[in-house]
Amino acid sequence: MSKELLDKLQSWYDDDQHDKIVEAIEQLPESERDYELVGHYGRALNNLGRYTEALQQLLSVEQQGRQDATWNWRIGYSYFYMHQWEKALSAFEQFDRLEPGDADVDKYIEVCHDIMVRQAAAIREITRVPFRERDFSQFWEMSDYADKSYVEAPPTAEMIASIEEELGYKLPADYIWLMQQQNGGVPVNTCFQTAVSTSWAEDHVAITGIMGIGREKAYSLGGSLGSNFMQEEWGYPDIGVVLCDCPSAGHDVIMLDYRACGRDGEPAVVHVDQEAGYWVTFLAPNFATFIAGLVSEEVFDTSEQDKLDDLDKVEYAQFSSLLQSLCEKADGIDRIEAVIRNICTQIVEDKGYFAFHADELSMLMYDIQFWLYAGANPGVTRAQYLAEYEKMIAFAQGFSTGGYAPDFVSSWLDERTKQGDIVNKGGVLSFTAAATERLVGKLIAIESGLGDEG
């Protein structure tokens, strides 16, 4: 392999242009692909999620690779994401023998052990009580929200075939069976333990509901907020079917993962984390095991400590540079930072955590942020404000909610415009004088109730 080609491959790897690596190597005759080149090829295929092809390439040079730590890392990576835990563990342990002390490899070894133990326990449990012999009479939560957003009529054979054709995947038989008992909804138990931490928690993920087979309800597989919507609008990878939405309002989902089994096989169940670059975390080898593994949120209840942590955050954490600069320019309120902290403390007291939704205090915080921003940027447009919004509190460091659902902000803006509090003149947004006076009056009242600064 020429140095020029090697430099190109390394440059493309550094720039995450793995498709270019694959394309360049595939243009070469197989007779010219030496051990090093096959290694680059396998690594690129792994990074593109084409694990089966990567494994095939890497195994073609197995004799040379057995005593090469890098080869063992790459083949372990392929096995890991194909959910072949024993083979992945063997490869990572061989890497550790050749080059001990690598923290990433140590973590993969730990996760492989953990998943194998959990999977063995799950299989024993499913064997003890077969899935379709389980009592599902108390599985679903009965609520108007579930009925309105999830629950469809039992799926017909025609509907099942139509949805499978639309999605391009054969749905698991146990999933179809459960949906024939109740077609979608919110389960009573909404948490699943994980072997690794995610954006949701250190030891589990949570779901909001399970999508049914249909198109009528928003949270059905073919619904307006269903699988195709999450992939097309939110960018989730085409590895299978989005099965469950999560409390993050789109920032993570549960998917049926068909990468290892093909479009007609029995998919694994995985968590996909948009906040971590669509990172995929294995949960269960199949749908039945996932459902059997759902547990109550009380098992992982950290609400008391979470509330204390968030109270400490809203009282002491540093404002973002943008929010701080806007507060310094605020007109008419001397202690606006203290007012904001006071309001957010009440939000945490009411909810148990720090987040803005559609409640009265959250709407007040939307008002304050816009008032501050528009006051310092008198030519602000809707697009500019929505783009800058997350930098004030939502995704800031320190004083931050840690995320937000854009629809809440857009809905607040639409509502204030409809009420006439915000006007749009030539694309420029601003509070009316009357709306500004009412808001400042509220803030002065809050400010007057604050104690003296110590």
Side-chain angles (χ1 to χ4, degrees):
M1 179 170 55
S2 70
K3 184 178 185 304
E4 181 182 1
L5 176 57
L6 180 61
D7 289 343
K8 280 186 179 179
L9 296 179
Q10 186 60 45
S11 176
W12 287 331
Y13 173 77
D14 292 339
D15 293 336
D16 291 328
Q17 294 180 308
H18 309 296
D19 53 336
K20 288 190 175 182
I21 298 174
V22 170
E23 183 180 355
I25 294 175
E26 288 181 346
Q27 289 176 355
L28 298 173
E30 289 191 24
S31 59
E32 295 183 17
R33 303 178 194 174
D34 60 13
Y35 175 74
E36 188 173 7
L37 205 57
V38 170
H40 281 281
Y41 191 21
R43 178 176 67 177
L45 290 168
N46 269 337
N47 286 320
L48 290 171
R50 295 163 60 180
Y51 306 115
T52 302
E53 297 169 75
L55 182 62
Q56 182 181 19
Q57 291 297 320
L58 293 167
L59 285 176
S60 72
V61 293
E62 180 178 9
Q63 188 171 359
Q64 295 167 269
R66 287 174 184 167
Q67 298 304 313
D68 178 2
T70 300
W71 181 88
N72 279 279
W73 162 261
R74 290 169 178 165
I75 203 164
Y77 192 94
S78 299
Y79 281 129
F80 186 90
Y81 289 101
M82 292 173 67
H83 308 151
Q84 297 186 34
W85 313 115
E86 293 88 349
K87 291 181 178 179
L89 178 61
S90 176
F92 289 133
E93 287 181 334
Q94 175 65 354
F95 179 104
D96 190 54
R97 283 190 287 270
L98 295 167
E99 292 186 13
D102 186 285
D104 289 336
V105 170
D106 290 344
K107 184 62 178 178
Y108 273 102
I109 290 173
E110 179 185 344
V111 171
C112 284
H113 277 298
D114 197 8
I115 288 175
M116 289 165 63
V117 169
R118 294 175 191 273
Q119 190 162 290
I123 291 171
R124 287 196 300 271
E125 174 61 18
I126 287 291
T127 303
R128 185 181 67 82
V129 184
F131 183 70
R132 301 188 193 187
E133 295 179 15
R134 290 172 175 267
D135 180 9
F136 286 99
S137 62
Q138 305 298 315
F139 179 79
W140 299 104
E141 179 183 293
M142 298 296 104
S143 70
D144 292 339
Y145 171 71
D147 290 341
K148 178 181 177 182
S149 301
Y150 292 90
V151 184
E152 296 249 9
T156 63
E158 292 75 16
M159 176 59 76
I160 294 168
S162 175
I163 291 293
E164 288 181 331
E165 182 178 4
E166 177 182 318
L167 299 178
Y169 295 94
K170 184 173 179 59
L171 298 171
D174 285 329
Y175 167 70
I176 292 173
W177 177 85
L178 185 61
M179 295 304 101
Q180 289 169 333
Q181 318 311 308
Q182 177 176 311
N183 195 11
V186 176
V188 172
N189 295 326
T190 57
C191 295
F192 193 94
Q193 190 169 13
T194 59
V196 296
S197 62
T198 67
S199 61
W200 180 252
E202 291 185 0
D203 56 0
H204 73 283
V205 294
I207 65 173
T208 303
I210 300 172
M211 296 183 182
I213 304 171
R215 297 185 177 89
E216 294 298 317
K217 300 301 174 72
Y219 290 104
S220 293
L221 292 184
S224 61
L225 300 175
S227 184
N228 282 341
F229 170 83
M230 296 307 297
Q231 290 177 307
E232 293 169 3
E233 298 298 324
W234 280 80
Y236 283 95
D238 183 19
I239 62 173
V241 176
V242 176
L243 178 70
C244 307
D245 63 321
C246 298
S248 65
H251 293 281
D252 62 332
V253 296
I254 306 301
M255 294 186 70
L256 298 172
D257 180 0
Y258 290 79
R259 288 176 297 176
C261 66
R263 290 177 178 267
D264 295 328
E266 181 71 26
V269 180
V270 299
H271 173 260
V272 185
D273 195 342
Q274 189 226 26
E275 293 297 318
Y278 302 101
W279 186 258
V280 176
T281 300
F282 174 85
L283 299 179
N286 52 54
F287 175 79
T289 305
F290 173 70
I291 294 298
L294 289 173
V295 296
S296 170
E297 63 182 359
E298 294 178 0
V299 173
F300 305 103
D301 185 16
T302 60
S303 56
E304 288 190 23
Q305 186 59 50
D306 292 343
K307 181 177 179 179
L308 291 174
D309 290 343
D310 278 0
L311 284 172
D312 183 74
K313 179 197 296 184
V314 296
E315 185 173 1
Y316 298 112
Q318 185 174 354
F319 281 7
S320 69
S321 57
L322 175 57
L323 183 60
Q324 188 64 50
S325 68
L326 295 177
C327 288
E328 291 169 359
K329 299 172 185 176
D331 184 24
I333 306 294
D334 295 330
R335 298 173 59 192
I336 186 62
E337 179 175 336
V339 170
I340 290 173
R341 292 187 185 278
N342 179 273
I343 295 168
C344 291
T345 296
Q346 189 58 55
I347 287 174
V348 177
E349 291 286 4
D350 291 347
K351 296 181 179 183
Y353 55 91
F354 188 29
F356 301 149
H357 297 116
D359 53 278
E360 184 177 352
L361 289 176
S362 294
M363 297 291 274
L364 178 57
M365 282 304 305
Y366 297 142
D367 287 340
I368 292 171
Q369 290 175 86
F370 179 78
W371 171 67
L372 289 170
Y373 191 89
N377 301 275
V380 63
T381 64
R382 180 187 180 100
Q384 177 189 348
Y385 182 69
L386 293 178
E388 291 287 290
Y389 172 83
E390 64 185 42
K391 301 175 185 177
M392 288 185 280
I393 295 176
F395 286 127
Q397 296 293 319
F399 189 89
S400 169
T401 55
Y404 77 115
D407 284 351
F408 280 120
V409 184
S410 296
S411 295
W412 161 83
L413 187 53
D414 292 339
E415 181 66 19
R416 289 293 187 252
T417 303
K418 181 180 178 181
Q419 293 170 345
D421 291 336
I422 290 178
V423 293
N424 185 331
K425 294 182 179 180
V428 174
L429 304 181
S430 63
F431 269 133
T432 64
T436 300
E437 184 178 354
R438 286 196 302 272
L439 176 60
V440 171
K442 286 182 184 179
L443 302 183
I444 290 174
I446 295 171
E447 184 181 36
S448 66
L450 299 176
D452 293 334
E453 291 179 306

